[in-house]
Amino acid sequence: MTILMPEPDQAVLARRDEIVASLRKIVPGEGVISSAAEMKPYESDGLMAYRQPPMVVVLPDTTKQVSEVLRYCHKNGIKVVPRGSGTSLSGGALPLADGVLLGLGKFKRIREIDFDNRAVVVEPGVTNLAISQAVDHAGFYYAPDPSSQIACSIGGNIAENSGGVHCLKYGMTTNNVLGCEIVLMTGEILRIGGKAAECAGYDLMGVITGSEGLLGVITEVTVRILRKPETARALMVGFTDVEAAGRCVADVISAGIIPGGMEMMDRPAIHAAEAFVHAGYPLDVEALLIIELDGPQVEVDELITRVEAIALGCGSTTCQISTSEQERLLFWSGRKAAFPAVGRISPDYLCMDGTIPRAQLPLVLRRMTQMSEKYGLRVANVFHAGDGNLHPLILYDANKPGEQDRAEAFGADILRLCVEVGGVLTGEHGVGIEKRDLMPEMFSDIDLNQQQRLKCAFDSEGLLNPGKVFPTLHRCAELGRMHVHGGKLPFPDIPRF
């Protein structure tokens, strides 16, 4: 399936040599990559079904260089696509043929660890897991933990508002980021938020988190760290029926129990993960729930008893409870490795990302089974069951004619179903190009235009990551026009200045 992107600006491409030379003056040494062979690794992100070589790759390592690159591109009308570690699964970092790919991979320093304020100041290229590793010796950690946490960068986490296994209890990225330094397309450097728990004025961190690189380039991040819980134990509960597992999820939450994490895998995912990591998953069940409870030991022991009883009431057939930290991590190892595990059983797969109300889990899982039969493609389900964030993995072979198109149509139907039952198009992977053309399923033209007006406040020329998120691009001046109907202005009683 062809994804339409903004038409390359031939005037910019004609000046490529001049542009590359100018960028080398701003970022000297090996900071500019312009040969086709060396730019090959940057032609896609984690959504590898779509590829596009950039015009040039620039790898700055200071905020000053980022500012100067953006200022130069703004002055010369050159598009810019920011990129972190390239693990995005929605095509958010897909380059443009006439654009600069601005890689933040050299921003890998941890600038400050402040245990008194429970905050860490890092550069955007620091990996998610590295933050927890840096504070582990003092008994702290950073709560959001995407499956790609060993590789994904904190800057990319902010761009997509990433989640993870433990976000049910401790929140998404937006709930754990306190402040940032961001460079606008004009080169202006802004500092937003800080170590304080609350800041005056509008919640601009809430605007920037999840903005997918459309508003600015983040060059510094302040995150909140938490004390490790006294005790953490996990239950591994098997069901002979996927819908029964879905009911168990809803029943646990409705009982007032908020686990540290609650994940579900269906039969194909269970078998793939077990063959990959040998975590001891039961192979005779249709669905597996991993439920982690944390806190004081006496509380955890009580909650384990209650959750086990709820699971039995929902028809569970197996229940294994971790007795050591090593065993708890083993339970999670299969879930964390589910994506690469599925990659071993299928030449290609699409990882979808939608969110639904928990109560709709049984219905949605049943409808997905019907869709699988309709499209003739297998699907393995791995998802954050506690907050309704689904990650169906649609298995296909791109070398077989028509299979990729069927896989994409299957994925689009899953996302439409999420919206139909009261959910949303994305939970943590972002919109990017993958879900861009489905945005009208959830938003009206008025909604989308208003969102683009917000982008215009940060990027008036639309040069930052164009072609992502919004299915129809508008010039900012166009969005600011006043509609005149029949020669009359709207609301004539309002004074015009």
Side-chain angles (χ1 to χ4, degrees):
M1 187 178 295
T2 302
I3 291 288
L4 295 176
M5 296 297 288
E7 197 67 29
D9 187 331
Q10 296 302 319
V12 169
L13 290 173
R15 294 162 40 220
R16 181 178 184 271
D17 291 344
E18 172 198 332
I19 291 168
V20 170
S22 297
L23 292 171
R24 289 192 193 281
K25 293 178 183 177
I26 299 172
V27 186
E30 298 179 338
V32 176
I33 302 173
S34 59
S35 74
E38 291 177 317
M39 291 194 297
K40 191 76 172 174
Y42 298 94
E43 68 181 6
S44 74
D45 55 16
L47 185 66
M48 298 182 71
Y50 306 104
R51 300 168 185 269
Q52 168 61 60
M55 179 176 68
V56 61
V57 176
V58 180
L59 305 174
D61 61 4
T62 67
T63 300
K64 183 174 183 290
Q65 287 180 347
V66 172
S67 174
E68 290 181 4
V69 168
L70 291 179
R71 185 179 296 112
Y72 170 81
C73 290
H74 181 261
K75 181 180 178 181
N76 290 275
I78 303 166
K79 305 179 186 86
V80 177
V81 176
R83 176 188 169 106
S85 296
T87 57
S88 167
L89 293 170
S90 62
L94 183 73
L96 297 169
D98 59 342
V100 171
L101 187 75
L102 188 67
L104 282 302
K106 291 185 177 181
F107 282 75
K108 291 185 175 180
R109 293 172 283 268
I110 295 178
R111 294 183 176 178
E112 181 186 2
I113 297 176
D114 183 349
F115 289 117
D116 290 342
N117 287 303
R118 298 196 174 191
V120 177
V121 181
V122 300
E123 293 181 346
V126 172
T127 63
N128 175 288
L129 185 59
I131 299 175
S132 290
Q133 291 173 335
V135 297
D136 179 71
H137 67 280
F140 286 84
Y141 75 113
Y142 176 63
D145 55 344
S147 294
S148 60
Q149 65 180 149
I150 192 172
C152 64
S153 65
I154 192 65
N157 288 178
I158 292 177
E160 306 292 3
N161 190 22
S162 301
V165 167
H166 291 93
C167 290
L168 170 62
K169 185 172 184 178
Y170 297 105
M172 307 281 284
T173 298
T174 189
N175 306 112
N176 291 276
V177 172
L178 299 171
C180 74
E181 177 183 78
I182 184 169
V183 185
L184 302 186
M185 191 64 214
T186 58
E188 183 181 359
I189 302 171
L190 303 179
R191 298 194 71 87
I192 297 169
K195 295 178 183 178
E198 297 291 341
C199 294
Y202 292 120
D203 179 19
L204 293 180
M205 274 309 306
V207 171
I208 291 166
T209 305
S211 60
E212 304 197 30
L214 271 69
L215 305 184
V217 177
I218 294 169
T219 51
E220 182 186 281
V221 183
T222 302
V223 300
R224 174 188 289 114
I225 54 173
L226 303 175
R227 270 284 184 189
K228 287 183 179 180
E230 175 188 316
T231 304
R233 296 176 67 191
L235 297 88
M236 191 162 64
V237 188
F239 296 83
T240 56
D241 178 56
V242 174
E243 293 185 32
R247 286 195 301 273
C248 182
V249 170
D251 287 353
V252 168
I253 300 297
S254 64
I257 301 170
I258 306 297
M262 189 176 342
E263 301 288 299
M264 186 190 292
M265 293 187 287
D266 67 3
R267 187 181 187 89
I270 295 166
H271 282 249
E274 178 60 20
F276 189 38
V277 302
H278 308 293
Y281 290 171
L283 298 178
D284 57 347
V285 298
E286 293 297 321
L288 186 69
L289 283 180
I290 303 175
I291 305 170
E292 181 169 292
L293 301 160
D294 60 17
Q297 183 170 340
V298 65
E299 178 186 357
V300 171
D301 291 344
E302 168 64 19
L303 292 177
I304 284 175
T305 302
R306 291 177 60 191
V307 169
E308 188 176 13
I310 291 170
L312 281 170
C314 291
S316 65
T317 56
T318 66
C319 183
Q320 188 175 345
I321 303 170
S322 66
T323 57
S324 66
E325 179 66 4
Q326 183 179 4
E327 189 174 27
R328 181 185 73 86
L329 294 175
L330 184 62
F331 286 2
W332 283 118
S333 64
R335 168 60 187 91
K336 288 282 188 179
F339 291 1
V342 169
R344 296 171 75 238
I345 64 172
S346 177
D348 303 281
Y349 69 81
L350 284 180
C351 176
M352 307 311 296
D353 166 54
T355 300
I356 62 171
R358 281 183 292 265
Q360 299 291 344
L361 269 173
L363 168 66
V364 170
L365 291 172
R366 185 167 62 251
R367 292 272 296 275
M368 273 199 279
T369 300
Q370 295 168 357
M371 291 179 194
S372 177
E373 295 171 357
K374 171 186 173 182
Y375 286 101
L377 297 172
R378 294 176 296 162
V379 60
N381 280 293
V382 181
F383 52 90
H384 310 306
D387 53 12
N389 185 197
L390 310 179
H391 292 315
L393 305 175
I394 301 170
L395 314 185
Y396 71 100
D397 185 348
N399 292 317
K400 293 182 178 179
E403 278 212 3
Q404 182 173 328
D405 287 348
R406 294 210 316 274
E408 290 177 340
F410 185 178
D413 278 354
I414 290 174
L415 295 176
R416 290 188 185 98
L417 175 60
C418 290
V419 176
E420 177 189 324
V421 300
V424 296
L425 290 171
T426 180
E428 57 174 338
H429 292 175
V431 176
I433 59 168
E434 178 200 36
K435 308 177 188 74
R436 180 194 67 190
D437 296 338
L438 291 171
M439 287 288 272
E441 299 285 337
M442 185 171 173
F443 298 105
S444 69
D445 287 344
I446 294 173
D447 297 327
L448 291 170
N449 288 346
Q450 191 65 14
Q451 291 179 40
Q452 289 194 62
R453 288 186 184 97
L454 176 61
K455 173 174 171 56
C456 289
F458 286 81
D459 175 23
S460 61
E461 301 301 319
L463 295 173
L464 265 175
N465 218 7
K468 316 294 173 57
V469 179
F470 300 114
T472 304
L473 293 179
H474 296 283
R475 291 186 177 88
C476 292
E478 178 186 355
L479 291 168
R481 289 174 181 166
M482 182 176 293
H483 179 64
V484 179
H485 179 69
K488 296 181 180 179
L489 292 173
F491 308 107
D493 55 313
I494 297 177
R496 310 290 176 185
F497 298 100

